[in-house]
Amino acid sequence: MFPMTDTQHNWLEAEPSAAIEPDAVLRVDVGGYEGPLDLLLDLARKQKVDLAQISVLALAEQYLAFIETVRKQRIEIAADYLVMAAWLAYLKSRLMVPQQADDDEPTGEEMAALLQFRLARLEAMREAAARLMNRPRFGRDVFARGMPEPVSITRHSLWEADLYQLLRAYAAQRERAIPAEYAPVQRTVWALQEARDILERLIGQNFEWVALDTYLAHYLGEPQERATVLASTFSASLELVRLGQVELRQSEAFAPLLLRRRKADVD
Amino acid sequence: MGEPFDTSDEPELHARNLRVLEALLFASAEPVDLKDVQPFLSEAADVGALALELQAAYAGRGVNLVQRGDKWAFRTAEDLNFLLRREETDSRPLSRAALETLAMIAYHQPVTRAEIEELRGVSISRGTLDVLMEAGWIRMRGRRRTPGRPVTYGTTEGFLDHFGLETLADLPGLEELKGAGLLSSRLPTSFQIPLPHDGELREDEDPLDPDDQGELEGSLLDEARGED
Amino acid sequence: MGEPFDTSDEPELHARNLRVLEALLFASAEPVDLKDVQPFLSEAADVGALALELQAAYAGRGVNLVQRGDKWAFRTAEDLNFLLRREETDSRPLSRAALETLAMIAYHQPVTRAEIEELRGVSISRGTLDVLMEAGWIRMRGRRRTPGRPVTYGTTEGFLDHFGLETLADLPGLEELKGAGLLSSRLPTSFQIPLPHDGELREDEDPLDPDDQGELEGSLLDEARGED
């Protein structure tokens, strides 16, 4: 597969298990293990035989003894380890007590095989990891081109703009920049008071119905003043009606407005 | 360019295609997808055959053409490693947990976090998967169609490249592990031994949503995605 | 290692030396001084001769071994350089700010940035001028002979080309803009539209020094220059 050179380094052996001698096991900090399977695998290795041939019973007993010792030392043990301990205690009992005929539970042998399988698989994965890490690795043993020649992508932006947009942009800006000069057009506006004075004067003491337009004929000659004259005098006439000085009448929409002095006022 | 049936041109075209492929592969530090080379070759060129020819031409030289998943790259010859070896720039070695987890994912993919935990007999800290994601070696493949829809993990092309593997079939000891029945996630009950699989999603996997954050921190996820 | 005159070893040693040199040249992040390769070769190896041999082996291929001063490096064959340069085009509408700035420059050139800002009544972001430079529509003409020596801008031939103008004189004047309804008819009598000038430098303009970076980023400037 790959040359086992002297640079071979066992990535996985460095830590706790290497330090553990068979009788040193009991002094080992449980925290050094990566879980109960790791602990079991380490204990199994101490049997110095192929995992397939280990005595699962002996292994279970060693594990239980280890946990018992650790507990006596009042070292806190993670729940995982206790779950495994309970399972192994059960396994032990299954292995030692003959199987009942009507027992649907897995046999002790099946449980032992499952444990062996799990241990073998974990060990196999550890070995696989070590072999992976010892392969000629990129960036350490094998290298890419040191001076890659990157593809340079020249991006051309095709900006969308046409002459009309350009001219409109120009004209709009220039117009915006023109100083706004306010030269308000002088317009004749009939103030309300003014309209009222004129109206009162025109009506005088006339108690006959006369169209408003007739009173204003003189003033409506100028077209640009027509609107303001009409609007102001109409408003003024309403005011005079409110004050009870004038009466106002219109026979239908858009018909001439008729006015007269209110008689009751003449005392 | 290329009249595919103009035989008079062919040797010349072929030589040119080889040169173009060589130039593009040589220019890149990253493995190159041959599909990306095709547009620069003559019309009917068989880019796969060209790559094999180039690979043969470089066999035994100081630089080799290697396949990494679907991509190809020039790399220094493996056997020169004793001369070229550099100390790892990132001197922080991978933790045992990370190494084991990587091996589990490589050999058992697609695999869920719970399955890895079952294999190791211990729970995985979030940091462990993060480190492997960050290295660009593993990726989230999809979600398993089982209750809880757990994320499935697999390896990346960066993984193949880093460990010098053409395909997952080159994983060391794969055949022995398969023979020993150690690639199954349970006690072997059938004769069907699953093989690691980094291809298309399997039947029991759903694709990840584009914004699926998986079980990881967003930032790491983004980096990991960048590798794909 | 290397007994230089042990002829039985020589072909093998020679091949190995070539491979090592090839790998080192390939993996190096910068051009390699052959002196630095010597320690990796067999004792009496003539590294110069090896380099020449390797150079000959790569002649005519997609990648060549080239000498740069005293150093050596692999480079893509010159005739294949086009493979490393891709051009991509995308089109997008010009922003209003860019359009207005362009219009100001077109009509008022030669014009300085400060003058454009005064005319527009708002400041111009650097990005706006950059975009117009990048589009190849404006250029720096020179520097105005006033305090601060501000850069004067004008339009390019690319501008005329894009907007379908034969010369700048084709830009519509005051009456035409009014006629097109783009300017209202009620303008102050003082309102004028300048005659744009894109010819020789004016009396109040100094030429740019060849290395004048103007007010722009170097990189963009280079691109802009490339367009001229």
Side-chain angles (χ1 to χ4, degrees):
Chain A
M1 190 115 341
F2 56 90
M4 299 290 247
T5 64
D6 54 354
T7 56
Q8 178 95 3
H9 168 65
N10 194 335
W11 285 77
L12 298 175
E13 277 298 353
E15 290 137 306
S17 53
I20 302 163
E21 296 304 316
D23 38 13
V25 165
L26 300 186
R27 286 187 276 105
V28 153
D29 175 10
V30 71
Y33 287 102
E34 298 236 351
L37 267 193
D38 185 32
L39 169 54
L40 272 170
L41 190 56
D42 189 60
L43 292 170
R45 286 219 191 96
K46 301 304 175 263
Q47 295 192 12
K48 291 195 167 47
V49 284
D50 189 321
L51 269 183
Q53 291 159 31
I54 52 166
S55 160
V56 170
L57 188 60
L59 188 61
E61 279 168 351
Q62 284 174 32
Y63 183 93
L64 292 170
F66 176 89
I67 296 295
E68 190 53 31
T69 316
V70 174
R71 288 176 80 179
K72 274 185 190 148
Q73 292 171 349
R74 293 165 193 275
I75 296 172
E76 215 167 298
I77 305 179
D80 292 353
Y81 290 86
L82 299 179
V83 170
M84 179 61 84
W87 190 82
L88 288 174
Y90 179 61
L91 166 63
K92 206 175 119 187
S93 72
R94 299 291 290 185
L95 283 173
M96 289 178 1
V97 178
Q99 183 96 356
Q100 303 288 317
D102 60 344
D103 193 344
D104 283 344
E105 297 293 302
T107 65
E109 284 71 27
E110 282 168 356
M111 290 175 71
L114 176 63
L115 181 62
Q116 276 173 321
F117 172 73
R118 293 187 71 191
L119 290 176
R121 200 177 49 183
L122 180 62
E123 187 168 60
M125 282 303 110
R126 291 213 172 141
E127 280 165 8
R131 291 169 81 175
L132 260 187
M133 296 309 280
N134 281 313
R135 284 186 63 80
R137 277 156 57 197
F138 182 74
R140 188 185 66 149
D141 307 293
V142 169
F143 300 94
R145 173 102 182 256
M147 273 178 290
E149 296 174 72
V151 173
S152 68
I153 293 175
T154 315
R155 255 177 212 292
H156 296 284
S157 290
L158 264 188
W159 295 103
E160 288 164 4
D162 60 30
L163 187 59
Y164 178 71
Q165 288 175 312
L166 186 77
L167 299 178
R168 204 175 49 183
Y170 181 68
Q173 288 181 93
R174 291 298 309 277
E175 285 210 321
R176 269 208 307 275
I178 295 171
E181 288 171 19
Y182 282 107
V185 182
Q186 292 297 322
R187 299 174 58 197
T188 319
V189 176
W190 280 29
L192 268 184
Q193 187 56 48
E194 191 184 354
R196 183 174 155 179
D197 292 348
I198 292 173
L199 197 58
E200 281 191 303
R201 198 177 68 237
L202 288 175
I203 295 176
Q205 296 300 316
N206 193 346
F207 295 99
E208 298 304 317
W209 290 108
V210 175
L212 181 61
D213 285 8
T214 312
Y215 284 127
L216 298 175
H218 172 68
Y219 299 95
L220 293 175
E222 294 285 320
Q224 62 267 46
E225 288 190 9
R226 191 180 157 82
T228 182
V229 168
L230 270 179
S232 298
T233 47
F234 177 63
S235 299
S237 67
L238 292 178
E239 176 70 4
L240 291 174
V241 170
R242 192 179 67 79
L243 293 173
Q245 297 176 15
V246 165
E247 282 178 316
L248 203 52
R249 195 177 81 177
Q250 189 178 27
S251 55
E252 61 181 353
F254 304 110
L257 272 174
L258 304 176
L259 294 105
R260 68 173 181 190
R261 171 69 68 182
R262 194 173 163 183
K263 282 178 180 157
D265 285 336
V266 184
D267 287 323
Chain B
M1 274 240 227
E3 311 302 343
F5 298 109
D6 184 345
T7 45
S8 68
D9 258 4
E10 246 180 49
E12 237 172 75
L13 264 187
H14 181 77
R16 193 192 132 97
N17 285 338
L18 264 186
R19 290 184 72 222
V20 166
L21 177 62
E22 185 180 32
L24 285 172
L25 289 172
F26 219 93
S28 169
E30 302 291 319
V32 172
D33 196 323
L34 296 186
K35 280 201 298 290
D36 297 335
V37 178
Q38 190 81 59
F40 299 96
L41 304 178
S42 58
E43 268 175 52
D46 178 348
V47 64
L50 287 167
L52 288 172
E53 189 178 338
L54 205 55
Q55 186 174 45
Y58 273 90
R61 309 197 44 172
V63 174
N64 301 148
L65 181 56
V66 296
Q67 193 175 356
R68 297 288 176 249
D70 292 336
K71 301 184 177 176
W72 294 72
F74 276 111
R75 296 285 184 252
T76 55
E78 284 191 5
D79 67 315
L80 294 177
N81 64 348
F82 67 98
L83 278 176
L84 303 178
R85 174 165 293 183
R86 296 177 195 162
E87 285 315 306
E88 279 159 286
T89 42
D90 181 16
S91 56
R92 193 171 40 125
L94 280 181
S95 72
R96 206 167 90 160
L99 280 174
E100 286 181 13
T101 302
L102 177 63
M104 302 279 181
I105 293 174
Y107 286 79
H108 291 265
Q109 63 188 296
V111 66
T112 68
R113 183 177 179 139
E115 287 160 356
I116 301 167
E117 292 180 340
E118 204 262 338
L119 282 158
R120 296 191 62 228
V122 70
S123 62
I124 313 176
S125 72
R126 160 166 291 190
T128 302
L129 286 174
D130 284 355
V131 161
L132 297 174
M133 285 278 205
E134 208 172 355
W137 291 342
I138 66 166
R139 66 191 176 98
M140 301 195 303
R141 291 171 46 88
R143 287 186 178 276
R144 177 76 47 80
R145 279 194 207 136
T146 54
R149 302 186 73 244
V151 169
T152 51
Y153 292 92
T155 52
T156 61
E157 278 182 1
F159 168 82
L160 295 178
D161 196 26
H162 187 90
F163 294 102
L165 305 165
E166 275 198 11
T167 71
L168 283 186
D170 294 339
L171 281 171
L174 189 64
E175 281 306 310
E176 296 97 291
L177 289 169
K178 184 182 155 193
L182 290 170
L183 290 185
S184 70
S185 53
R186 316 227 157 272
L187 257 181
T189 52
S190 72
F191 292 106
Q192 261 205 321
I193 307 293
L195 280 176
H197 170 82
D198 62 353
E200 295 295 294
L201 291 179
R202 288 206 161 146
E203 275 182 13
D204 64 349
E205 283 179 290
D206 280 333
L208 293 171
D209 287 336
D211 55 348
D212 194 330
Q213 293 292 300
E215 305 160 337
L216 290 155
E217 306 289 349
S219 60
L220 281 165
L221 178 60
D222 291 341
E223 283 184 46
R225 275 200 183 138
E227 300 283 335
D228 284 1
Chain C
M1 277 232 225
E3 309 306 340
F5 298 109
D6 182 343
T7 45
S8 70
D9 258 4
E10 246 183 45
E12 231 173 82
L13 264 187
H14 180 74
R16 199 189 104 121
N17 285 337
L18 262 187
R19 292 183 73 220
V20 169
L21 175 62
E22 189 179 29
L24 288 170
L25 285 167
F26 172 81
S28 170
E30 43 195 65
V32 171
D33 193 326
L34 296 184
K35 281 200 301 290
D36 299 332
V37 178
Q38 192 80 57
F40 294 94
L41 305 178
S42 59
E43 268 174 55
D46 179 349
V47 64
L50 286 168
L52 289 172
E53 189 179 338
L54 204 54
Q55 187 173 44
Y58 275 92
R61 310 201 49 168
V63 172
N64 300 149
L65 182 56
V66 297
Q67 196 173 354
R68 294 278 179 263
D70 292 342
K71 303 190 174 177
W72 294 71
F74 281 114
R75 305 301 296 166
T76 302
E78 274 189 24
D79 65 315
L80 296 179
N81 269 340
F82 72 92
L83 292 169
L84 305 177
R85 284 192 302 267
R86 310 271 162 83
E87 313 223 332
E88 286 180 14
T89 4
D90 50 6
S91 55
R92 39 198 156 142
L94 205 57
S95 73
R96 197 179 107 162
L99 196 61
E100 291 185 356
T101 304
L102 177 63
M104 281 298 172
I105 293 174
Y107 272 95
H108 295 260
Q109 64 187 299
V111 65
T112 68
R113 182 179 178 142
E115 287 161 356
I116 303 167
E117 291 180 339
E118 202 197 312
L119 282 161
R120 296 192 57 215
V122 288
S123 63
I124 309 174
S125 75
R126 160 163 295 187
T128 302
L129 287 173
D130 286 354
V131 161
L132 296 173
M133 285 281 205
E134 199 190 316
W137 290 340
I138 65 165
R139 66 192 174 96
M140 302 193 304
R141 291 170 47 90
R143 286 186 178 276
R144 178 78 44 81
R145 274 189 214 143
T146 54
R149 303 188 69 247
V151 169
T152 53
Y153 292 93
T155 52
T156 62
E157 281 187 9
F159 167 81
L160 296 176
D161 205 30
H162 183 92
F163 291 96
L165 302 165
E166 267 187 33
T167 71
L168 270 191
D170 290 345
L171 277 177
L174 181 60
E175 288 312 314
E176 290 161 292
L177 287 174
K178 276 186 184 171
L182 290 166
L183 282 173
S184 82
S185 48
R186 286 221 321 256
L187 289 170
T189 48
S190 63
F191 189 90
Q192 283 190 340
I193 282 185
L195 277 180
H197 170 83
D198 63 351
E200 294 295 298
L201 290 179
R202 288 204 160 147
E203 275 182 11
D204 64 349
E205 285 178 286
D206 280 333
L208 291 170
D209 288 335
D211 56 347
D212 194 329
Q213 293 290 301
E215 305 162 333
L216 291 155
E217 307 288 350
S219 61
L220 281 166
L221 179 59
D222 291 340
E223 281 184 47
R225 273 195 184 143
E227 302 283 339
D228 284 0

